[in-house]
Amino acid sequence: EVEGMGDLIHNYVAKLMEKARTPPSPHDTPDDEWEEHIVMRTMIDQIRSLQREFVYCEKRTGKTDFSELFSWLEQCGASINKVNVDDFDGFGNGLLATDDIEVGESVMSIPDFCMLTVEGAYRTPIGEFLQTDKLVKLMPNVALALHVLMEMHDEDSFFEPYISTLPSTYSVPLYWESWDILALKGSPEFVEALRLNKHIYRQYCYLFMKLSEPGLEGVLGFDATAFTYDDYRWAVATVMSRQNKIPVRDEGGNVEWTLCLAPFWDLMNHKAGQVSSQFNLETKALEYKAFEKTSYGEQLFMSYGARSNAEYVLHQGFFYDDHPTDYMAIPVAMDEKDPLAKIKQLLLGNLGINLPADLTISMDDHLDPQLLAYSRVAAMSKDTIASHLRNPAMCATLGQTDGIVSDKNEKKAKEIVCAKLDAILSQYPQEEEHSANEKPSYETSIARKLVNSQRKFLQHTIALLK
């Protein structure tokens, strides 16, 4: 019966593989990609239904007692001071200060000995496949996800105290319902969320088919039938939302960077501030020092770095309301119909702007220097471009507010950017007033916040230019 079920799942996966491996066409609209997503979602739901009894992540994770994790980390040589795990409204699990913590005070040191790393994945039974498969060897995040998956299935895993306390589910778009994704419509992140799901469908199908081949079957440490989409999605979301990069020395003593999951360290929630985590190559430990004073009973935060809310929503499943440096990425390419396109791209390349590229807008009272430089070059005549190529010193101020080429050029440059932003803004639905009685899902709420914030970025920048 299980064997027959396995054949049925295999057939469904093969059909989804054919659909998911089709690259998007340059002519596809967001609506086209949405329709494709609905077809693929129906297919993956059929697979998930057949695999339901084999899903393991819900049974092995989500533990709320962290005492075993503390003891295990202590045995591994970790140092943790003045914090405990607590549940915070709007955040989920986080770290609670059990005493006053001063700025610069060392709070934790987590040795690499207790981290899940890509190098650790290479030392597992699946390591040879990870390093030799023509596709997987290019994706260290997949190697780490499969490592997490293997350890989650192994009840005797060295990492069990950590794995068992990981969330059973996540709020990244891989877990969103269709209506949550639709709440992003108009935003560039609508298509990004669709493509993210498609990418993981394709990854899963490829790995399922590969790991069912003779010689690889069972290399994960469990039967191929138990390699479920739900478990793989969980492992991918774990890596996507919690990964960090640490330096490691190779056999020659050279320093390289690798992906890792750092137990306990990854429980800290984000707050804007100075990045204050660093890896100590001498002690081989990830160290965290407080970037702000935290009083007894308050939540201890760390800064995740200079990322936009779009990145937070897509890859970590939250929207940061008090983001002081939020921005929006705008896809920019040179008009192929412009007879001066190649020479303009040459000049932009000299300025370090290689198109196509994502340039940014924000709530600042001036344009991003790269976007400003792009607009002025895009508006240049052939003679003006030639003079700038002959005299590189003239290019130095193209990204500065007062670096005006000419009044005519400045007017045209603003028109070019305004036209682009107007076109993007036209894709957004009108801002809606929602009933106070409505209780949208958390995912729909953060999608709406992102769409509204991006609409404001566009409106602000257009008003600034006009």
Short mmCIF file of all heavy atoms in Angstrom, two decimals, residues 373-419:
data_model
loop_
_atom_site.label_atom_id
_atom_site.label_comp_id
_atom_site.label_asym_id
_atom_site.label_seq_id
_atom_site.Cartn_x
_atom_site.Cartn_y
_atom_site.Cartn_z
N ALA A 373 22.08 59.72 -10.81
CA ALA A 373 23.09 59.61 -11.87
C ALA A 373 22.50 58.91 -13.09
O ALA A 373 22.72 59.33 -14.24
CB ALA A 373 24.31 58.85 -11.35
N TYR A 374 21.75 57.83 -12.85
CA TYR A 374 21.12 57.10 -13.96
C TYR A 374 20.21 58.03 -14.76
O TYR A 374 20.25 58.07 -16.00
CB TYR A 374 20.31 55.91 -13.43
CG TYR A 374 19.18 55.52 -14.35
CD1 TYR A 374 19.41 54.80 -15.53
CD2 TYR A 374 17.86 55.92 -14.07
CE1 TYR A 374 18.37 54.48 -16.39
CE2 TYR A 374 16.81 55.60 -14.92
CZ TYR A 374 17.07 54.89 -16.08
OH TYR A 374 16.05 54.58 -16.94
N SER A 375 19.37 58.80 -14.06
CA SER A 375 18.39 59.65 -14.75
C SER A 375 19.09 60.70 -15.61
O SER A 375 18.65 61.00 -16.72
CB SER A 375 17.45 60.31 -13.74
OG SER A 375 18.15 61.23 -12.92
N ARG A 376 20.18 61.26 -15.09
CA ARG A 376 20.89 62.31 -15.85
C ARG A 376 21.59 61.73 -17.07
O ARG A 376 21.59 62.35 -18.14
CB ARG A 376 21.90 63.01 -14.93
CG ARG A 376 21.20 63.96 -13.94
CD ARG A 376 22.12 64.44 -12.85
NE ARG A 376 21.47 65.48 -12.03
CZ ARG A 376 21.91 65.89 -10.86
NH1 ARG A 376 23.01 65.35 -10.34
NH2 ARG A 376 21.26 66.82 -10.19
N VAL A 377 22.15 60.53 -16.94
CA VAL A 377 22.80 59.89 -18.08
C VAL A 377 21.74 59.48 -19.11
O VAL A 377 21.93 59.66 -20.32
CB VAL A 377 23.62 58.66 -17.63
CG1 VAL A 377 24.12 57.87 -18.85
CG2 VAL A 377 24.80 59.09 -16.76
N ALA A 378 20.62 58.94 -18.63
CA ALA A 378 19.54 58.53 -19.54
C ALA A 378 19.02 59.71 -20.35
O ALA A 378 18.52 59.54 -21.48
CB ALA A 378 18.41 57.89 -18.75
N ALA A 379 19.14 60.92 -19.81
CA ALA A 379 18.62 62.11 -20.48
C ALA A 379 19.67 62.82 -21.35
O ALA A 379 19.36 63.83 -21.99
CB ALA A 379 18.08 63.09 -19.43
N MET A 380 20.89 62.30 -21.37
CA MET A 380 21.98 62.98 -22.08
C MET A 380 21.89 62.86 -23.62
O MET A 380 21.41 61.85 -24.14
CB MET A 380 23.33 62.42 -21.65
CG MET A 380 23.81 62.90 -20.29
SD MET A 380 25.45 62.20 -19.90
CE MET A 380 25.73 62.93 -18.27
N SER A 381 22.40 63.90 -24.27
CA SER A 381 22.56 63.86 -25.73
C SER A 381 23.88 63.16 -26.06
O SER A 381 24.71 62.92 -25.16
CB SER A 381 22.59 65.28 -26.29
OG SER A 381 23.76 65.95 -25.82
N LYS A 382 24.08 62.83 -27.33
CA LYS A 382 25.30 62.13 -27.75
C LYS A 382 26.55 62.96 -27.43
O LYS A 382 27.55 62.43 -26.93
CB LYS A 382 25.23 61.84 -29.24
CG LYS A 382 26.38 60.97 -29.75
CD LYS A 382 26.17 60.63 -31.22
CE LYS A 382 27.30 59.73 -31.72
NZ LYS A 382 27.11 59.35 -33.15
N ASP A 383 26.49 64.26 -27.69
CA ASP A 383 27.65 65.12 -27.43
C ASP A 383 27.97 65.20 -25.93
O ASP A 383 29.14 65.20 -25.54
CB ASP A 383 27.40 66.53 -27.98
CG ASP A 383 27.40 66.56 -29.50
OD1 ASP A 383 27.91 65.58 -30.09
OD2 ASP A 383 26.89 67.53 -30.07
N THR A 384 26.92 65.26 -25.10
CA THR A 384 27.13 65.36 -23.66
C THR A 384 27.76 64.08 -23.12
O THR A 384 28.66 64.11 -22.27
CB THR A 384 25.80 65.62 -22.93
OG1 THR A 384 25.18 66.77 -23.50
CG2 THR A 384 26.02 65.85 -21.44
N ILE A 385 27.30 62.94 -23.63
CA ILE A 385 27.88 61.65 -23.21
C ILE A 385 29.35 61.61 -23.59
O ILE A 385 30.21 61.23 -22.79
CB ILE A 385 27.13 60.47 -23.86
CG1 ILE A 385 25.68 60.42 -23.39
CG2 ILE A 385 27.83 59.14 -23.52
CD1 ILE A 385 24.82 59.44 -24.18
N ALA A 386 29.65 62.00 -24.82
CA ALA A 386 31.03 61.97 -25.32
C ALA A 386 31.94 62.83 -24.46
O ALA A 386 33.07 62.43 -24.12
CB ALA A 386 31.07 62.43 -26.77
N SER A 387 31.47 64.01 -24.08
CA SER A 387 32.31 64.92 -23.27
C SER A 387 32.56 64.33 -21.88
O SER A 387 33.64 64.48 -21.32
CB SER A 387 31.67 66.30 -23.18
OG SER A 387 30.43 66.23 -22.50
N HIS A 388 31.56 63.63 -21.33
CA HIS A 388 31.73 63.00 -20.02
C HIS A 388 32.66 61.79 -20.08
O HIS A 388 33.41 61.53 -19.13
CB HIS A 388 30.36 62.58 -19.45
CG HIS A 388 29.62 63.70 -18.78
ND1 HIS A 388 29.00 64.71 -19.50
CD2 HIS A 388 29.42 64.00 -17.46
CE1 HIS A 388 28.43 65.56 -18.67
NE2 HIS A 388 28.67 65.16 -17.42
N LEU A 389 32.62 61.07 -21.20
CA LEU A 389 33.53 59.93 -21.37
C LEU A 389 34.97 60.41 -21.53
O LEU A 389 35.90 59.76 -21.05
CB LEU A 389 33.11 59.08 -22.57
CG LEU A 389 31.87 58.19 -22.38
CD1 LEU A 389 31.45 57.57 -23.71
CD2 LEU A 389 32.16 57.09 -21.36
N ARG A 390 35.14 61.54 -22.21
CA ARG A 390 36.49 62.08 -22.40
C ARG A 390 37.04 62.68 -21.12
O ARG A 390 38.25 62.70 -20.90
CB ARG A 390 36.47 63.16 -23.50
CG ARG A 390 36.37 62.63 -24.91
CD ARG A 390 36.70 63.73 -25.93
NE ARG A 390 35.83 64.89 -25.81
CZ ARG A 390 34.69 65.04 -26.46
NH1 ARG A 390 34.29 64.11 -27.30
NH2 ARG A 390 33.96 66.12 -26.30
N ASN A 391 36.16 63.17 -20.26
CA ASN A 391 36.59 63.85 -19.04
C ASN A 391 35.90 63.21 -17.82
O ASN A 391 34.86 63.70 -17.37
CB ASN A 391 36.26 65.34 -19.13
CG ASN A 391 36.82 66.11 -17.95
OD1 ASN A 391 37.46 65.55 -17.05
ND2 ASN A 391 36.56 67.42 -17.92
N PRO A 392 36.45 62.10 -17.28
CA PRO A 392 35.82 61.39 -16.16
C PRO A 392 35.54 62.28 -14.94
O PRO A 392 34.62 62.01 -14.18
CB PRO A 392 36.84 60.29 -15.82
CG PRO A 392 37.61 60.09 -17.09
CD PRO A 392 37.68 61.44 -17.73
N ALA A 393 36.32 63.35 -14.78
CA ALA A 393 36.12 64.23 -13.63
C ALA A 393 34.73 64.87 -13.66
O ALA A 393 34.16 65.20 -12.62
CB ALA A 393 37.20 65.31 -13.60
N MET A 394 34.17 65.01 -14.86
CA MET A 394 32.84 65.61 -14.99
C MET A 394 31.75 64.69 -14.41
O MET A 394 30.66 65.14 -14.08
CB MET A 394 32.53 65.88 -16.47
CG MET A 394 33.39 66.94 -17.13
SD MET A 394 33.04 67.08 -18.91
CE MET A 394 31.36 67.73 -18.87
N CYS A 395 32.09 63.39 -14.33
CA CYS A 395 31.10 62.40 -13.86
C CYS A 395 30.97 62.38 -12.34
O CYS A 395 30.00 61.82 -11.81
CB CYS A 395 31.48 61.01 -14.34
SG CYS A 395 31.57 60.86 -16.13
N ALA A 396 31.94 62.95 -11.65
CA ALA A 396 32.01 62.82 -10.19
C ALA A 396 30.78 63.36 -9.47
O ALA A 396 30.42 62.88 -8.40
CB ALA A 396 33.26 63.51 -9.67
N THR A 397 30.11 64.36 -10.08
CA THR A 397 28.99 64.99 -9.38
C THR A 397 27.62 64.57 -9.93
O THR A 397 26.60 65.11 -9.52
CB THR A 397 29.09 66.53 -9.49
OG1 THR A 397 29.09 66.90 -10.88
CG2 THR A 397 30.37 67.02 -8.82
N LEU A 398 27.59 63.59 -10.86
CA LEU A 398 26.33 63.21 -11.48
C LEU A 398 25.32 62.65 -10.46
O LEU A 398 24.11 62.73 -10.67
CB LEU A 398 26.56 62.17 -12.58
CG LEU A 398 27.14 62.71 -13.90
CD1 LEU A 398 27.42 61.58 -14.87
CD2 LEU A 398 26.17 63.72 -14.53
N GLY A 399 25.82 62.09 -9.37
CA GLY A 399 24.93 61.55 -8.35
C GLY A 399 24.64 62.52 -7.23
O GLY A 399 23.98 62.16 -6.24
N GLN A 400 25.10 63.77 -7.38
CA GLN A 400 24.88 64.76 -6.33
C GLN A 400 23.75 65.71 -6.72
O GLN A 400 23.55 66.00 -7.91
CB GLN A 400 26.17 65.57 -6.10
CG GLN A 400 27.33 64.70 -5.60
CD GLN A 400 28.63 65.48 -5.51
OE1 GLN A 400 28.65 66.70 -5.61
NE2 GLN A 400 29.73 64.75 -5.34
N THR A 401 23.03 66.19 -5.74
CA THR A 401 21.88 67.07 -5.99
C THR A 401 22.28 68.29 -6.82
O THR A 401 21.54 68.71 -7.72
CB THR A 401 21.26 67.54 -4.66
OG1 THR A 401 20.93 66.39 -3.87
CG2 THR A 401 20.00 68.36 -4.90
N ASP A 402 23.46 68.85 -6.54
CA ASP A 402 23.88 70.06 -7.26
C ASP A 402 24.70 69.74 -8.51
O ASP A 402 25.25 70.64 -9.14
CB ASP A 402 24.68 70.99 -6.34
CG ASP A 402 25.91 70.30 -5.74
OD1 ASP A 402 26.11 69.10 -6.02
OD2 ASP A 402 26.65 70.96 -5.00
N GLY A 403 24.74 68.45 -8.91
CA GLY A 403 25.54 68.08 -10.07
C GLY A 403 24.76 68.17 -11.36
O GLY A 403 24.79 67.25 -12.21
N ILE A 404 24.06 69.28 -11.56
CA ILE A 404 23.19 69.46 -12.73
C ILE A 404 24.03 69.58 -14.01
O ILE A 404 25.00 70.35 -14.06
CB ILE A 404 22.31 70.72 -12.56
CG1 ILE A 404 21.37 70.51 -11.36
CG2 ILE A 404 21.52 71.02 -13.82
CD1 ILE A 404 20.56 71.75 -10.99
N VAL A 405 23.66 68.81 -15.02
CA VAL A 405 24.37 68.85 -16.31
C VAL A 405 23.94 70.11 -17.08
O VAL A 405 24.77 70.85 -17.61
CB VAL A 405 24.06 67.58 -17.13
CG1 VAL A 405 24.70 67.65 -18.52
CG2 VAL A 405 24.54 66.33 -16.38
N SER A 406 22.63 70.32 -17.16
CA SER A 406 22.05 71.52 -17.78
C SER A 406 20.59 71.56 -17.36
O SER A 406 20.03 70.55 -16.92
CB SER A 406 22.16 71.47 -19.31
OG SER A 406 21.33 70.44 -19.82
N ASP A 407 19.95 72.68 -17.50
CA ASP A 407 18.54 72.79 -17.14
C ASP A 407 17.69 71.84 -17.99
O ASP A 407 16.75 71.20 -17.49
CB ASP A 407 18.04 74.23 -17.32
CG ASP A 407 18.62 75.17 -16.27
OD1 ASP A 407 19.13 74.66 -15.24
OD2 ASP A 407 18.58 76.40 -16.47
N LYS A 408 18.03 71.75 -19.28
CA LYS A 408 17.29 70.88 -20.19
C LYS A 408 17.45 69.42 -19.78
O LYS A 408 16.47 68.66 -19.75
CB LYS A 408 17.78 71.11 -21.62
CG LYS A 408 17.03 70.28 -22.66
CD LYS A 408 17.58 70.56 -24.06
CE LYS A 408 16.84 69.70 -25.10
NZ LYS A 408 17.37 69.94 -26.48
N ASN A 409 18.68 69.03 -19.48
CA ASN A 409 18.96 67.65 -19.07
C ASN A 409 18.24 67.32 -17.76
O ASN A 409 17.67 66.23 -17.61
CB ASN A 409 20.47 67.43 -18.92
CG ASN A 409 20.81 66.06 -18.36
OD1 ASN A 409 20.84 65.86 -17.14
ND2 ASN A 409 21.06 65.10 -19.24
N GLU A 410 18.27 68.27 -16.82
CA GLU A 410 17.65 68.03 -15.51
C GLU A 410 16.14 67.84 -15.65
O GLU A 410 15.55 66.95 -15.00
CB GLU A 410 17.96 69.20 -14.57
CG GLU A 410 17.69 68.91 -13.10
CD GLU A 410 18.70 67.95 -12.47
OE1 GLU A 410 19.65 67.50 -13.16
OE2 GLU A 410 18.53 67.64 -11.27
N LYS A 411 15.53 68.63 -16.51
CA LYS A 411 14.08 68.52 -16.73
C LYS A 411 13.74 67.15 -17.32
O LYS A 411 12.83 66.47 -16.87
CB LYS A 411 13.62 69.64 -17.66
CG LYS A 411 12.11 69.68 -17.92
CD LYS A 411 11.74 70.90 -18.74
CE LYS A 411 10.23 71.02 -18.97
NZ LYS A 411 9.71 69.96 -19.83
N LYS A 412 14.53 66.74 -18.32
CA LYS A 412 14.27 65.46 -18.97
C LYS A 412 14.55 64.29 -18.02
O LYS A 412 13.83 63.30 -18.01
CB LYS A 412 15.14 65.34 -20.23
CG LYS A 412 14.82 64.10 -21.06
CD LYS A 412 15.65 64.05 -22.34
CE LYS A 412 15.35 62.77 -23.11
NZ LYS A 412 16.18 62.68 -24.35
N ALA A 413 15.60 64.42 -17.20
CA ALA A 413 15.96 63.37 -16.24
C ALA A 413 14.81 63.13 -15.26
O ALA A 413 14.45 61.98 -14.97
CB ALA A 413 17.23 63.76 -15.49
N LYS A 414 14.24 64.23 -14.76
CA LYS A 414 13.11 64.10 -13.83
C LYS A 414 11.90 63.48 -14.51
O LYS A 414 11.18 62.68 -13.91
CB LYS A 414 12.76 65.47 -13.24
CG LYS A 414 13.81 66.00 -12.28
CD LYS A 414 13.40 67.35 -11.70
CE LYS A 414 14.43 67.85 -10.69
NZ LYS A 414 14.05 69.14 -10.10
N GLU A 415 11.68 63.83 -15.76
CA GLU A 415 10.55 63.27 -16.50
C GLU A 415 10.71 61.76 -16.69
O GLU A 415 9.74 61.02 -16.61
CB GLU A 415 10.42 63.96 -17.87
CG GLU A 415 9.91 65.40 -17.77
CD GLU A 415 9.99 66.14 -19.10
OE1 GLU A 415 10.60 65.58 -20.06
OE2 GLU A 415 9.47 67.27 -19.18
N ILE A 416 11.93 61.32 -16.94
CA ILE A 416 12.21 59.89 -17.14
C ILE A 416 11.88 59.10 -15.87
O ILE A 416 11.20 58.07 -15.91
CB ILE A 416 13.68 59.67 -17.56
CG1 ILE A 416 13.89 60.16 -18.99
CG2 ILE A 416 14.07 58.20 -17.43
CD1 ILE A 416 15.34 60.19 -19.43
N VAL A 417 12.36 59.60 -14.73
CA VAL A 417 12.12 58.90 -13.47
C VAL A 417 10.64 58.97 -13.09
O VAL A 417 10.06 57.97 -12.66
CB VAL A 417 13.00 59.48 -12.33
CG1 VAL A 417 12.68 58.77 -11.02
CG2 VAL A 417 14.47 59.32 -12.67
N CYS A 418 10.04 60.14 -13.26
CA CYS A 418 8.61 60.29 -12.95
C CYS A 418 7.76 59.33 -13.77
O CYS A 418 6.83 58.70 -13.24
CB CYS A 418 8.14 61.72 -13.21
SG CYS A 418 8.35 62.81 -11.79
N ALA A 419 8.07 59.21 -15.05
CA ALA A 419 7.30 58.31 -15.92
C ALA A 419 7.40 56.87 -15.43
O ALA A 419 6.42 56.13 -15.42
CB ALA A 419 7.78 58.43 -17.36
#
